[in-house]
Every structure is written in C-alpha cells, then in structure tokens.
Amino acid sequence: MRPWSAPEVPALPVTGPAVSLHDTATRSLRPTAPQGAARLYVCGITPYDATHIGHAATYVGFDLLNRAWRNAGHHVTYVQNVTDVDDPLLERAEKVHVDWRELAERETELFRQDMAALRVLPPQHYIGAVESIPLVIALIERLQERGAVYSVEDDLYFSVTADDAFGGVSGLSREEMVRIFPERGGDPDRDGKKDPLDCVLWRAERPGEPAWDSPFGPGRPGWHIECTAIALEHLGMGFDVQAGGSDLVFPHHEMCAGEAQVARPGVSFARVYAHAGMVGFDGEKMSKSRGNLVFVSALRNSDVDPMAIRLALLRHHYRDDWEWTDDQLWDAVDTLADWRRALALGHGAAAAPVVDQVLAALADDLDAPTAVAAVQRWVETTLGTDGLADTSDHEAAATLRALLDAALGLAL
Ligand code: 5CA
Ligand code: ZN
C-alpha cells in the first residue's frame, strides 16, 4: 500500500544518546542496540473508523522511538500493516451498507491524512492484509511442516503448545489468558479445539464473506498470522521492537510471537515488545465498539492546529492510561502560542542544554512529558515570565525549532 507523505526532518547539531525502552516481556527497561538499521513494527489500524485520539496517541508515541533512533544516528526500517480484512471491518461494512473494500480504502486514506497532519513519520513498508495473503499462505504451510496446525471443520488453528516460550510476551497465567481471549477475538470454547487458547490461522469461506483460494480451500487469514507474516517478510526474525497499544499484548502479540517462534525457532520474534497505554474518554477506553470517540479528522475540520493535538498527546507518557478532555487541547493551544512567541524573538536562553535534556528524556523510555517541561522552562526564561528575560543565545530559536521538529515532531 502507499504510505503517507514524509515530512522534512531537520538534522540536529548533536547525536542523541542510545535509546532504552520498557519491554513488556521482561517488565524492565531495556537498551535497544540496533545492529545496522533499527527494525520497528507497529501494528496498524483496522480501517473501519477513522483515527481517534487513542490511535493517534499510540502512533505519535512510537513515532518518538523512530525519531529518537534517527537522532541517535540509526537508520530505521519501519513496517506497519493495515488489517484491511477482518471480522469487525466486515461487520461494520454490512451495517452501514458499504462495500468492505470501499470502507477500508476510505478510512485508510483518512488515517494517512491524519498521520501526515500530526507529522508522524511514515513506514517504509505499509502493507495490507489482503495484499499479504500469499505470504500468509506460505507461513501457514511452514507451520504445517512444523506440526503446529490442525483443522476444526474447515478452519485451520495454530497449536500454541508448539511454542515452548508461549506466554512469555504477556506473562499472563493460563487462567488470565482464557478469560481475556474471548474479549479480543478468541474462541476458547469452540468444540474440537485441542487447546482453548489456539488461534485461527485460516478461516474457511462463510456465505457472504470475501474469500481467497488457497491450498487449504477458499477462506481468509486469521488476524495474528497477518502481522507475523508481514513482520517476518519485511524485518526478519529477532527484529528490534514490536509495538502497539496495551490491548494488543494478549492475544495479538503473544500469538504473533508464538507463530513466528515455531516457524523460525531459535530466537525470539522481537527483542522488545513495547506497549502504549489506553486513552479513555467519558470514563471508558476510547474504542470503536463503544463509540465514545474523538476523531483527529473532526478536530482538524474545525480548524484545530494539528500541532496542538500532538502537544496535548505528548504531555502524557506513552505508557500511561489517561483520559482525553477538551481542556487539554485548549491548554496546548495556549502553550503553543507562548512557544511561538518565544521562538519569534530569534534569540533566547541557551539552547544547548535544552537539546541535551530533550534528547536524554526521549532516549529514556520516550519520556515526552519531561522533554516538554524542558522546552517550557526555556520558553519561560526566554520570555522572562519569571523575572528577567534571558536573550544571551543568538541562535536559540533556530536550534529550538530544529529540536522541536526532529525530536518531538512539532513544527512551529
Ligand atoms: N489492526 C489491529 C492491529 S494489527 C488493531 O488493533 N487495529 S485498531 O484499529 O483496533 O488499533 C490500532 C492501534 O491503536 C493499536 O495499536 C491499538 O492498540 C491502538 N489503540 C486502540 N484504541 C486505543 C486507545 N483507546 N488508546 C490508545 N491506543 C489505542
Ligand atoms: Zn498487528
């Protein structure tokens, strides 16, 4: 698929520090030490509803990783999927009487525009589930050779017990997994399954549903195998970071790792599994199924500055769960007005320490709130909000502008 357009990113005068990231699997802060290009996979949208603030928070969060790596001198190979055929998409398409392909295309395009407006760097490989079907088929055949596939009626399932390390991503007990599984697309109670946690690899054609030919009969891919196949094809085994929101820890990222580790034993699927917190609205997780959504495109259509949306997101640590309120947006609008006023002066307080502080904060588990606070202190000192204005650095505004753009994705 076509990704969205890439913004220009200015070069910084210094190289940033090595990046550490919290790893869900080991529950610890882990140094990322990419060899050659850093390899990043961030799970993409299921395109049946346009970008809401929760999605935006997750993609902006991992955009900080992409930028921190680049600022530390790494090339980054970034891959993202689009789940352009799956149950929720088909259900929505039927409900609103739109062809599922048209719905997916329309929402994917809106997502691209939202990402570009928020200055999220695009992936090099933006890959749809539908276009990956040959990869999925080849991977299922590989799993068959490894004895990890069986059928229930005409559907194919992956045997989770084939992976000795299964459970290692989420660290959940079997009881917890069995409880969560049905809430996230799983079918633990289906008759004929060998293990309640086994997941669908290939779903045989059902009346009225799209289907593709395969050696296993007509059907379509299960959800998890799509990301496994795309990541293995474009990044290979043992890539640096798999990322997504915390609702993907189990089953999605657990199953992806399980499938990959059975197909290509010996190393773990990803070195680090990184997860963003959930954004809520009106007391509940913001989600398409609950309908409590704030859309990035709706804000943009009412002339909200996308940089204010981005700043409002950056004021939360990516791993925290938090609630969106409109106040946070208006606060960010006011803050940006101060920042722009300080930048317009040209000179200001010394910029070099701010560069160090911002890069250090972001390299330390993408700590955007600390980075934003460092910029805020520079603005206050420059404007003299708390005493005498400091205008000693004649290059300050140019340095700060480049820093805000390259490290935080804020082009002011
Ligand atoms: N297509 C799959 C991943 S392969 C999927 O989960 N799609 S999604 O459209 O439901 O979500 C896209 C990304 O946004 C996922 O990483 C998900 O974890 C994240 N996300 C969804 N809702 C929220 C929320 N309320 N807050 C933060 N992130 C969210
Ligand atoms: Zn995924």
Side-chain angles (χ1 to χ4, degrees):
M1 284 191 162
R2 178 175 53 80
W4 54 96
S5 55
E8 287 282 328
V9 182
L12 290 178
V14 295
T15 304
V19 182
S20 293
L21 199 62
H22 184 270
D23 173 33
T24 302
T26 56
R27 298 178 195 192
S28 64
L29 191 67
R30 293 271 302 277
T32 63
Q35 286 150 8
R39 292 173 292 165
L40 172 65
Y41 189 97
V42 181
C43 280
I45 55 163
T46 305
Y48 65 92
D49 232 340
T51 323
H52 63 62
I53 288 287
H55 296 139
T58 290
Y59 295 108
V60 165
F62 295 112
D63 185 53
L64 298 176
L65 174 61
N66 193 347
R67 288 167 183 272
W69 270 336
R70 287 161 186 254
N71 292 331
H74 297 293
H75 287 284
V76 181
T77 306
Y78 178 15
V79 179
Q80 190 176 125
N81 67 303
V82 183
T83 308
D84 59 357
V85 61
D86 199 11
D87 301 346
L89 172 73
L90 299 174
E91 283 161 19
R92 175 63 63 91
E94 191 174 331
K95 195 167 150 197
V96 297
H97 307 291
V98 180
D99 181 81
W100 63 275
R101 293 178 210 83
E102 211 175 289
L103 178 62
E105 223 163 87
R106 189 177 75 204
E107 299 302 315
T108 303
E109 181 51 27
L110 198 51
F111 177 73
R112 286 191 188 99
Q113 290 169 16
D114 290 334
M115 290 297 105
L118 292 171
R119 295 183 79 80
V120 172
L121 304 181
Q124 282 86 359
H125 304 281
Y126 193 43
I127 313 283
V130 171
E131 63 183 336
S132 312
I133 287 174
L135 294 178
V136 167
I137 291 172
L139 183 57
I140 295 174
E141 288 177 322
R142 169 85 187 147
L143 290 171
Q144 283 179 321
E145 287 161 22
R146 305 272 308 147
V149 182
Y150 64 93
S151 50
V152 176
E153 294 164 85
D154 291 330
D155 301 329
L156 296 188
Y157 278 83
F158 171 65
S159 270
V160 294
T161 48
D163 176 28
D164 293 338
F166 183 76
V169 174
S170 64
L172 294 173
S173 67
R174 269 194 74 85
E175 294 67 44
E176 288 169 310
M177 291 191 210
V178 171
R179 186 178 57 75
I180 299 173
F181 197 36
E183 294 166 16
R184 308 218 174 125
D187 55 356
D189 299 327
R190 182 165 180 190
D191 286 342
K193 284 179 67 172
K194 292 186 180 165
D195 186 310
L197 294 174
D198 293 343
C199 66
V200 177
L201 292 169
W202 189 258
R203 182 178 152 90
E205 183 171 13
R206 306 289 199 273
E209 287 188 5
W212 290 264
D213 283 334
S214 83
F216 340 112
R220 60 182 164 96
W223 172 25
H224 317 301
I225 195 75
E226 153 199 356
C227 286
T228 316
I230 294 170
L232 287 180
E233 173 74 8
H234 294 282
L235 295 174
M237 209 51 191
F239 61 94
D240 292 284
V241 174
Q242 184 175 30
S246 60
D247 57 345
L248 298 187
V249 175
F250 186 85
H252 187 50
H253 288 171
E254 193 77 74
M255 296 298 178
C256 290
E259 292 164 352
Q261 286 157 188
V262 171
R264 309 241 179 284
V267 266
S268 65
F269 180 49
R271 290 164 191 251
V272 167
Y273 299 89
H275 293 102
M278 287 292 113
V279 180
F281 185 56
D282 285 345
E284 286 201 84
K285 173 191 156 188
M286 200 179 280
S287 75
K288 290 176 263 209
S289 39
R290 289 191 181 86
N292 59 336
L293 303 177
V294 177
F295 291 110
V296 171
S297 53
L299 295 175
R300 291 199 294 116
N301 287 338
S302 44
D303 286 332
V304 171
D305 177 359
M307 293 297 95
I309 303 173
R310 184 158 175 133
L311 178 59
L313 302 177
L314 292 174
R315 280 180 156 164
H316 297 275
H317 193 280
Y318 81 97
R319 287 209 284 133
D320 289 341
D321 295 329
W322 55 280
E323 279 268 310
W324 172 264
T325 55
D326 290 346
D327 287 1
Q328 297 172 48
L329 182 60
W330 309 135
D331 231 61
V333 168
D334 291 346
T335 300
L336 282 188
D338 289 345
W339 289 17
R340 287 191 169 110
R341 211 149 48 82
L343 291 169
L345 297 174
H347 46 232
V354 189
V355 174
D356 291 343
Q357 287 159 15
V358 165
L359 294 181
L362 292 168
D364 178 14
D365 202 23
L366 316 177
D367 186 353
T370 297
V372 167
V375 174
Q376 182 64 29
R377 281 196 301 277
W378 176 87
V379 167
E380 286 170 12
T381 315
T382 296
L383 292 176
T385 322
D386 47 6
L388 273 185
D390 176 352
T391 56
S392 54
D393 184 344
H394 291 272
E395 304 293 326
T399 308
L400 257 289
R401 272 209 177 88
L403 174 70
L404 286 169
D405 195 350
L408 290 166
L410 292 169
L412 303 184

